[in-house]
Amino acid sequence: MPNRYLIANWKMNLPPEGVESYLANLSGADPRDVALVVAPPFPFLRQVVQCGEGTCVAAQNCSDHVSGAFTGEVSPGMIRECGADYVILGHSERRTLFSESDALVARKLALAIESGLAPVLCIGEDVRVRDTGHVAHFLADQIKAAAVDALEQVEEIVLAYEPIWAIGTGRNASGAMVAETLVGIRHAIERFWPARLAETRILYGGSVSPDNVDDLVAHGTIDGFLVGGASLDSRKFLAIHAGMR
Ligand code: PEP
C-alpha cells in the first residue's frame, strides 16, 4: 500500500493538452512515496492504462451488479479487465446529482472489493452540516454505512474526505480544519472498520490547487489529495505533487 496518493479526477472532461501528452508529462515526475492515479471517463480507461507510465488508473464509478440488464452501467469486473486498479465510490456528485444512497455505495463497495479493485471511498458533509457543528457525527455515519463484510478481505482501500461545499467551488477547507476533521474520521475508522484497516490512508479533496497545497500539507496528517479541476492541467497537477514534498 502506498504511503500517499495524488488522484486526478477528470470527471466528464479530458485534459485540453490531450491525453497522451498529459500522461507523458506525468511520467517524467519522480513519484517518491506518492502513488499518482488518474481517473478518466470510462471510454479512456484503456488508453490511460496503456500510455500512463508509472501512473495508476481509477474508474470514477461502478455498478453494484456483476452483469445483466442494466443499460448504461459498467461492472467492477469490466473495469478490472480494462486494467484499472482503483475505483472512486460515493463521490458527492454521484450522491447528490445521481441520488446514490449510503446503502447503494456500500453495495458498490462490496462488489468492487470482491472484483479486485481498490476502492477510493469519498465522504463529506454539506455546508448545513458544517454550520450546525455535526460534522464528526455525519462522517462517522458514512463510515459506519460503508462497514461491509468485504472490508475483512480488502487489500487496499483509500478514504477521501471531500466536504461538498469545497468541491469545484474554489473554497477549500483550511489545513487546520482538515486536520481537526481527520481526527474524527480516524476515530470512526477505528470504531466501525476492521482493526487491520486502522492505517487506512485518508486524502483530502475540495478545490486543491498549487496555491493551497502548502497550507494543507503543513499539518502533516493528510495522506494525499483527490483533485478535480486542477488535475486537468498536467502542470498544475504536478505542481500539487511537488508541493507534497
Ligand atoms: C473532486 O472532483 O473530487 C474534487 C475535489 O474537485 P475539485 O478539486 O474541482 O474541487
Side-chain angles (χ1 to χ4, degrees):
M1 180 170 63
N3 271 333
R4 297 189 294 166
Y5 296 79
L6 182 60
I7 305 179
N9 178 14
W10 289 356
K11 311 193 187 197
M12 201 171 70
N13 300 297
L14 291 173
E17 69 208 77
V19 174
E20 282 187 26
S21 47
Y22 181 102
L23 294 171
N25 287 344
L26 256 53
S27 70
D30 172 6
R32 294 165 294 150
D33 67 338
V34 181
L36 290 173
V37 183
V38 174
F42 284 132
F44 297 87
L45 281 175
R46 265 192 213 280
Q47 188 184 3
V48 176
V49 167
Q50 280 159 7
C51 304
E53 237 175 87
T55 352
C56 304
V57 183
Q60 298 174 15
N61 179 31
C62 71
S63 171
D64 62 327
H65 294 278
V66 174
S67 65
F70 302 102
T71 303
E73 291 288 274
V74 178
S75 74
M78 292 167 179
I79 292 167
R80 201 69 200 105
E81 265 183 50
C82 287
D85 299 308
Y86 296 88
V87 61
I88 298 172
L89 293 175
H91 191 281
S92 68
E93 285 152 18
R94 301 294 320 169
R95 292 181 190 262
T96 56
L97 302 175
F98 300 95
S99 308
E100 291 198 5
S101 63
D102 278 347
L104 176 59
V105 173
R107 289 200 300 277
K108 291 182 177 198
L109 182 66
L111 188 60
I113 294 169
E114 284 156 17
S115 308
L117 287 170
V120 178
L121 177 68
C122 302
I123 58 169
E125 80 285 357
D126 64 17
V127 75
R128 189 186 51 82
V129 172
R130 171 61 62 181
D131 288 347
T132 50
H134 296 122
V135 176
H137 189 79
F138 180 88
L139 298 177
D141 277 353
Q142 286 190 319
I143 289 165
K144 185 178 175 192
V148 293
D149 290 348
L151 287 186
E152 295 287 354
Q153 72 191 56
V154 72
E155 280 172 25
E156 185 180 356
I157 180 167
V158 184
L159 200 67
Y161 167 55
E162 298 210 304
I164 295 173
W165 47 268
I167 298 179
T169 58
R171 181 187 161 200
N172 70 290
S174 69
M177 188 191 279
V178 177
E180 189 196 332
T181 309
L182 259 48
V183 173
I185 293 175
R186 186 67 68 200
H187 184 68
I189 290 175
E190 283 164 13
R191 185 154 167 228
F192 296 116
W193 285 10
R196 53 187 284 273
L197 298 179
E199 302 288 302
T200 297
R201 305 293 187 251
I202 308 175
L203 319 186
Y204 167 75
S207 298
V208 177
S209 76
D211 299 331
N212 55 35
V213 66
D214 278 354
D215 171 53
L216 289 163
V217 296
H219 295 263
T221 51
I222 301 177
D223 299 317
F225 300 105
L226 177 50
V227 187
S231 77
L232 284 169
D233 178 334
S234 64
R235 282 163 312 168
K236 282 191 192 163
F237 191 60
L238 287 171
I240 294 170
H241 178 245
M244 290 171 75
R245 290 185 286 270

